[in-house]
Amino acid sequence: MSGFNGLGMHLGNLSRLSDAKSRSISAENYTGAVGAGGMATEGSGAVAARDLGLGWKVSPSVRIAAGETFTIADIAGPGAIQQIWLTPTGNWRYSILRIYWDGSEAPAVECPVGDFFGVGWGEYAQLTSLPICVNPGSAFNSYWEMPFREHCRMTMTNIAEEEMTLYYQVNYTLTDVPADAAYFHAQFRRVNPLPYKDVYTIVDGIQGRGHYVGTYMAWGSNNNGWWGEGEIKFYMDGDEYPSICGTGTEDYFCGSYNFDPSPRHDQGYVAYTTPYAGFHQVIRPDADYRSQLRMGMYRWHIMDPIRFESDLRVTMQALGWGYNRRYLPLQDDIASVAYWYQTLPAAPFPPLPERDQLMII
């Protein structure tokens, strides 16, 4: 995708001029209007800035009441979201990020905010990759390019019982969008426990033309022993059997041999975070009341997008080892986010799980 129209830049064309217009939305400029930042006279910083006056960090954040939906961004196109920075407080599974394109009533992005940014267990873990970065202590950054032609609306819904605080900045460009630019989508799913011998569905029902660009999984082991023998499968364009079939869970996330470099692969997991793949979070049991092994991992298909012409389904087996060296179907706690680009209109998402089914237990 050319950067000359301002939609996306890279080091090879960073010196080239463009007619694109740079804009930014935050609590200091709710609309992103030209010359409208830092003009607030009231806000979450008003008391601290009372001796300094206009322009001195009067409105750096917003508070979102329990049950309330806050509109982060409402933008007329054409243009593209280029970077999102958020620092939400509270339960990250109970803060729901949604993004709508071109006036659609159905969201193209619908995820608990922690899972969207690769920290589904509600605990900080450093994640250093090209499209997603998580930095101390709750700095969530997205660099996924998100073009739109007519309109973008981004919201945060607080389904917790307590108020939350949100610092945020959405950096975007107003520019022409090429005819072949597709729309960004992200969908969350969670099953706990996975029924015996069921295959976990990362996403299905995708209809249209596009390409799959990433997977995040929050995996909680409900069983002793190794859990990652399962294969990922991509069924595209009417496949009965998958066109793309992996060889193991850790293999798909660009690791190997149990994520354990010891000679017998029995000494423990080693976390890693890289530009395109990572096993970046390992929460180990450490007490009577913290008994489950919980892990986070991601795989971005940036250099190898999975192209589809009409439809796509993605599944992951949950498979460990049983007796006599036989595979053991697992009943684990698995959540995921699928990321892809496609043409509109898109098929509606399945309903987001209710709050009790989102709970980390």
Side-chain angles (χ1 to χ4, degrees):
M1 190 175 291
S2 172
F4 301 151
N5 61 6
L7 198 58
M9 304 295 287
H10 54 77
L11 287 176
N13 67 11
L14 197 56
S15 64
R16 300 296 298 268
L17 296 175
S18 169
D19 291 331
K21 309 299 182 186
S22 296
R23 299 289 184 264
S24 183
I25 288 175
S26 71
E28 288 281 16
N29 187 348
Y30 288 111
T31 67
V34 176
M39 297 175 62
T41 57
E42 57 183 39
S44 59
V47 173
R50 63 189 180 275
D51 297 327
L52 298 175
L54 192 68
W56 286 91
K57 201 171 180 178
V58 173
S59 180
S61 63
V62 296
R63 296 184 178 93
I64 306 176
E68 180 180 302
T69 294
F70 174 74
T71 298
I72 295 173
D74 193 327
I75 309 167
I81 305 297
Q82 296 178 309
Q83 195 254 354
I84 302 169
W85 168 84
L86 305 174
T87 65
T89 65
N91 187 327
W92 298 336
R93 271 273 169 91
Y94 292 170
S95 300
I96 311 302
L97 176 68
R98 293 183 174 91
I99 305 177
Y100 305 78
W101 304 128
D102 291 1
S104 173
E105 295 184 1
V109 173
E110 185 175 47
C111 301
V113 70
D115 293 84
F116 181 85
F117 288 94
V119 281
W121 294 112
E123 298 185 18
Y124 165 77
Q126 181 70 41
L127 197 166
T128 305
S129 74
L130 286 179
I132 295 288
C133 293
V134 178
N135 302 319
S138 61
F140 299 166
N141 296 271
S142 167
Y143 295 91
W144 291 113
E145 186 175 77
M146 305 181 189
F148 54 95
R149 291 174 174 82
E150 299 174 9
H151 190 258
C152 164
R153 181 165 63 95
M154 184 183 306
T155 67
M156 184 76 76
T157 300
N158 178 14
I159 66 171
E161 295 178 348
E162 304 82 21
E163 180 183 77
M164 67 174 289
T165 298
L166 179 67
Y167 290 80
Y168 67 95
Q169 189 130 14
V170 178
N171 295 317
Y172 62 101
T173 183
L174 298 177
T175 188
D176 293 334
V177 174
D180 60 356
Y183 291 85
F184 181 81
H185 289 68
Q187 183 185 121
F188 170 86
R189 297 199 179 196
R190 194 270 184 103
V191 177
N192 182 33
L194 183 69
Y196 184 62
K197 290 188 178 180
D198 270 15
V199 173
Y200 181 78
T201 297
I202 295 172
V203 71
D204 63 0
I206 294 178
Q207 297 175 11
R209 181 187 179 198
H211 44 275
Y212 187 90
V213 294
T215 308
Y216 164 72
M217 300 195 80
W219 197 299
S221 178
N222 290 332
N223 196 79
N224 289 331
W226 170 239
W227 49 272
E229 287 301 316
E231 296 176 339
I232 195 165
K233 294 179 168 66
F234 292 86
Y235 302 82
M236 59 192 71
D237 304 333
D239 279 345
E240 179 180 0
Y241 289 92
S243 290
I244 298 175
C245 185
T247 60
T249 308
E250 83 273 45
D251 307 342
Y252 172 66
F253 292 100
C254 300
S256 68
Y257 291 108
N258 303 25
F259 303 116
D260 182 348
S262 63
R264 294 181 178 272
H265 315 300
D266 61 358
Q267 297 300 303
Y269 307 131
V270 174
Y272 59 94
T273 178
T274 77
Y276 301 114
F279 179 67
H280 64 293
Q281 186 167 37
V282 181
I283 303 173
R284 292 176 168 87
D286 62 7
D288 291 344
Y289 302 106
R290 190 181 174 96
S291 60
Q292 301 306 111
L293 177 68
R294 291 166 168 168
M295 299 150 287
M297 58 209 87
Y298 63 92
R299 169 71 156 90
W300 309 137
H301 294 271
I302 294 175
M303 303 303 292
D304 58 342
I306 309 297
R307 311 284 185 182
F308 56 93
E309 294 296 325
S310 61
D311 58 84
L312 180 70
R313 175 166 61 100
V314 185
T315 66
M316 175 71 83
Q317 297 166 331
L319 206 59
W321 287 108
Y323 68 93
N324 198 25
R325 298 297 291 173
R326 296 183 181 183
Y327 290 136
L328 176 67
L330 301 177
Q331 300 176 73
D332 283 347
D333 178 355
I334 306 175
S336 63
V337 179
Y339 308 78
W340 74 96
Y341 290 88
Q342 71 157 93
T343 55
L344 294 182
F349 288 5
L352 197 71
E354 298 292 330
R355 189 173 70 179
D356 286 352
Q357 278 66 56
L358 291 172
M359 186 186 307
I360 296 169
I361 57 174

